[in-house]
Amino acid sequence: MKLSSPFTAPRKRHLVTSRRSVLAGLPASLAGLALTSPLWDRLLRRAYAQTASQQRLLVWYTADGTVPEWFWPATPGTLSIRSDRTNDLSGKSFNQDVPSGDRPGFILQPVASYADRMLLVKGLDNPGEHDHAPAVRSCFTGEAASGDASGSAPSLDVLMAEVHATDAHAESIFRTGVYGNRVSYDGTRDVSRPRGRDYVEPSWQPIADARRVLDVVSGVVPDNGNGDAASRTKSRLAALGSVKDRVAALRCAAGTPAAERLEAYIEEVARLEKLEGEAPPTTLPTEPLVDADDPDVLAAQSDIKRLPTVSPFVRDLAVTALALDYSPAVTIQWGASGTNNIQNGKLTDYRYDFLPDLEYPGAGDHGLAHPEDGAFQDAGHNITKEVATRDRVRIYRWFFSELKLLLDRLASIPDGAGTLLDTTTVLCVSEFGGPNANSTAGQHSTSDLPYVLIGGAQTPFQTGKSMSVNASHGDYLLTLARGFGSTETSMGVGKSLIDGILR
């Protein structure tokens, strides 16, 4: 591994088709739509373009790191993740029954089909304080945080958006997430930080986040909290229908591929509203099948027992925000950690209790990451290292199964001559990682942070390999920022670029 100076000039980016040339080739109805709506102006230009130029970033944050011996490949080099290993995680001995040679990369098995698009970099260390809040606050900024001192570097999503956000985007970064405010304390939810400002949490209300996206897409005035949900949904559908009626005009003006791309973008709105999928593309379904005001999803976003109900909605929402160019960067926070969720001796972090083979319900991220912790033993719970290992493998495998579904969706949406996945970088982030993570001695290790990068064919990163380095997490994040075109010369403790990551 070699570190190099970050002072080299950033790469030149592809030129975007000019607005004037696009509008000149459109019929009056479509040109009028583009002129009156910045978002549809952008979508029409994307549909018209033969090549995709927009880089996108999707951040996937999960708490409390990983189980390193079940995560990292055995050796660096070309990345191959076996898909033929057991999926049977039942019983109380699978951690011993699985041969030791089958354990490396086991957690990543759900995304094995995307190994050629993945980059794993082992040896990235955060030199800051080894505790929840400082580690979370620095895992995406590159700082070495200690106590309340977390430095000032902006997070990677902010640096990426500074390069790629335009006036046509509704938000430079779209942040969403679930349950973090229910299972953590202040500081352990601080992942994304704007330049010169304090950290920004998601709303922890994905339904409200979805309505915000839909309102911008359809031109509905943002809700002040007093609007009639049924009327607002009707207005959204009417706006969507007026666009669908113009797809045929685009097909005549720009050809079938362009129309198909626009139809795909429109379908993202329909999907978020859960409209009838079988309806012809130029007609408007009369009512949503399940819309963003669905009481079941609305309840699930606040009930930590119902993660499987709300997670598909969050996945679709993130993809839709990218597909519709609502934002160039999306950050999902799947909860947070740092709190012992114990009430009257009962463990109350129920987020993962839906997993059929979970051995210690209610323990959550924090309880399982702290086996043999005194607070749990005082409450009458002896969570052993063996139980923690098995349950954490089950949980992290589930998260990567969810990620696989998101990647499949990105790969199904046309963009330029390829798909949305081709121009999207997905970065999995967590604050802890390294040796003996399931032992009392290494509960808060910030060594070997388990970043996972999944980059499309047109992203600026080398993929299909695993690397071994000796560098700071700041060097890694700075390297990614430079790949996105940032001219930043440092990110916290990161002062050098890591060779072998950028194309």
Side-chain angles (χ1 to χ4, degrees):
M1 186 277 296
K2 183 179 179 182
L3 300 181
S4 57
S5 169
F7 290 92
T8 54
R11 291 171 176 73
K12 293 181 179 180
R13 289 180 286 138
H14 297 293
L15 295 177
V16 180
T17 305
S18 72
R19 189 170 192 244
R20 177 174 295 180
S21 65
V22 171
L23 297 185
L26 292 179
S29 60
L30 282 171
L33 176 66
L35 289 169
T36 58
S37 169
L39 188 137
W40 283 110
D41 169 26
R42 187 173 183 82
L43 289 180
L44 286 167
R45 283 186 284 145
R46 272 182 62 201
Y48 195 89
Q50 298 300 308
T51 59
S53 60
Q54 172 73 62
Q55 291 294 315
R56 300 173 180 86
L57 171 65
L58 191 149
V59 180
W60 181 279
Y61 170 83
T62 55
D64 277 307
T66 190
V67 186
E69 61 270 32
W70 294 78
F71 174 83
W72 293 107
T75 58
T78 301
L79 183 60
S80 177
I81 302 172
R82 285 176 47 200
S83 60
D84 60 346
R85 291 170 290 192
T86 182
N87 288 310
D88 182 4
L89 305 184
S90 62
K92 298 183 178 181
S93 63
F94 83 78
N95 57 313
Q96 298 166 347
D97 296 339
V98 173
S100 59
D102 285 356
R103 295 172 194 173
F106 187 83
I107 286 175
L108 298 171
Q109 184 170 324
V111 290
S113 60
Y114 290 95
D116 63 331
R117 294 177 181 256
M118 293 173 62
L119 173 66
L120 300 179
V121 182
K122 188 176 183 181
L124 300 171
D125 298 338
N126 179 350
E129 183 180 352
H130 299 183
D131 202 0
H132 288 277
V136 172
R137 285 172 166 164
S138 56
C139 69
F140 205 35
T141 65
E143 295 282 5
S146 178
D148 293 331
S150 58
S152 60
S155 53
L156 177 64
D157 53 353
V158 171
L159 294 181
M160 185 274 180
E162 286 179 349
V163 176
H164 295 281
T166 70
D167 291 340
H169 289 110
E171 298 179 30
S172 59
I173 302 168
F174 179 65
R175 301 175 178 92
T176 191
V178 288
Y179 306 144
N181 56 337
R182 300 285 305 280
V183 294
S184 61
Y185 60 85
D186 288 348
T188 63
R189 303 183 294 270
D190 294 343
V191 175
S192 179
R193 179 166 62 185
R195 187 182 295 275
R197 294 170 50 197
D198 202 359
Y199 293 90
V200 177
E201 293 184 30
S203 70
W204 307 113
Q205 300 290 316
I207 289 289
D209 298 335
R211 289 173 181 159
R212 199 165 73 245
V213 173
L214 290 168
D215 286 348
V216 169
V217 170
S218 57
V220 178
V221 177
D223 193 359
N224 60 6
N226 301 316
D228 175 22
S231 298
R232 292 173 60 74
T233 298
K234 184 177 180 180
S235 296
R236 293 182 191 125
L237 296 178
L240 177 59
S242 70
V243 176
K244 284 189 173 186
D245 288 340
R246 303 179 190 187
V247 171
L250 180 64
R251 189 181 297 274
C252 295
T256 297
E260 288 176 348
R261 287 191 286 269
L262 183 59
E263 287 171 353
Y265 307 149
I266 294 171
E267 181 58 28
E268 285 305 303
V269 182
R271 186 179 181 88
L272 195 58
E273 289 279 16
K274 302 300 183 185
L275 299 176
E276 181 61 60
E278 298 300 321
T282 56
T283 63
L284 178 65
T286 55
E287 60 184 65
L289 195 62
V290 180
D291 69 271
D293 300 307
D294 185 292
D296 193 46
V297 179
L298 187 64
Q301 73 176 353
S302 299
D303 183 354
I304 64 173
K305 295 180 180 179
R306 301 185 63 188
L307 180 58
T309 301
V310 75
S311 61
F313 189 88
V314 172
R315 290 195 325 262
D316 274 3
L317 175 57
V319 173
T320 296
L322 292 177
L324 294 177
D325 268 347
Y326 182 88
S327 296
V330 172
T331 295
I332 305 175
Q333 291 181 230
W334 292 104
S337 188
T339 297
N340 293 328
N341 291 277
I342 307 172
Q343 295 180 7
N344 300 319
K346 185 178 181 180
L347 304 185
T348 58
D349 188 344
Y350 307 117
R351 284 175 293 165
Y352 309 116
D353 289 9
F354 67 91
L355 293 172
D357 302 314
L358 200 72
E359 295 177 52
Y360 226 103
D365 298 314
H366 194 247
L368 294 172
H370 290 69
E372 304 169 353
D373 183 272
F376 292 94
Q377 291 192 346
D378 291 345
H381 300 278
N382 182 28
I383 305 175
T384 67
K385 290 181 288 186
E386 291 73 20
V387 169
T389 294
R390 291 191 293 270
D391 276 356
R392 294 183 81 201
V393 169
R394 292 169 176 129
I395 290 168
Y396 295 137
R397 285 262 299 215
W398 180 81
F399 273 119
F400 278 107
S401 296
E402 292 293 289
L403 181 61
K404 166 67 161 56
L405 297 174
L406 181 142
L407 295 171
D408 290 346
R409 289 268 290 111
L410 289 172
S412 72
I413 299 171
D415 191 44
T419 71
L420 195 60
L421 181 59
D422 290 334
T423 53
T424 299
T425 299
V426 177
L427 183 66
C428 302
V429 178
S430 196
E431 71 272 23
F432 294 138
N436 303 316
N438 275 353
S439 72
T440 304
Q443 294 168 354
H444 289 168
S445 173
T446 54
S447 298
D448 292 335
L449 293 182
Y451 297 103
V452 178
L453 185 149
I454 304 171
Q458 298 179 45
T459 61
F461 307 109
Q462 298 183 36
T463 59
K465 65 180 181 179
S466 174
M467 299 172 56
S468 179
V469 303
N470 180 17
S472 74
H473 68 313
D475 292 327
Y476 176 73
L477 295 171
L478 176 63
T479 303
L480 301 190
R482 295 296 299 225
F484 284 122
S486 173
T487 58
E488 208 78 358
T489 58
S490 66
M491 281 194 72
V493 297
K495 311 296 182 184
S496 301
L497 305 187
I498 301 175
D499 286 350
I501 291 180
L502 302 181
R503 293 188 194 274

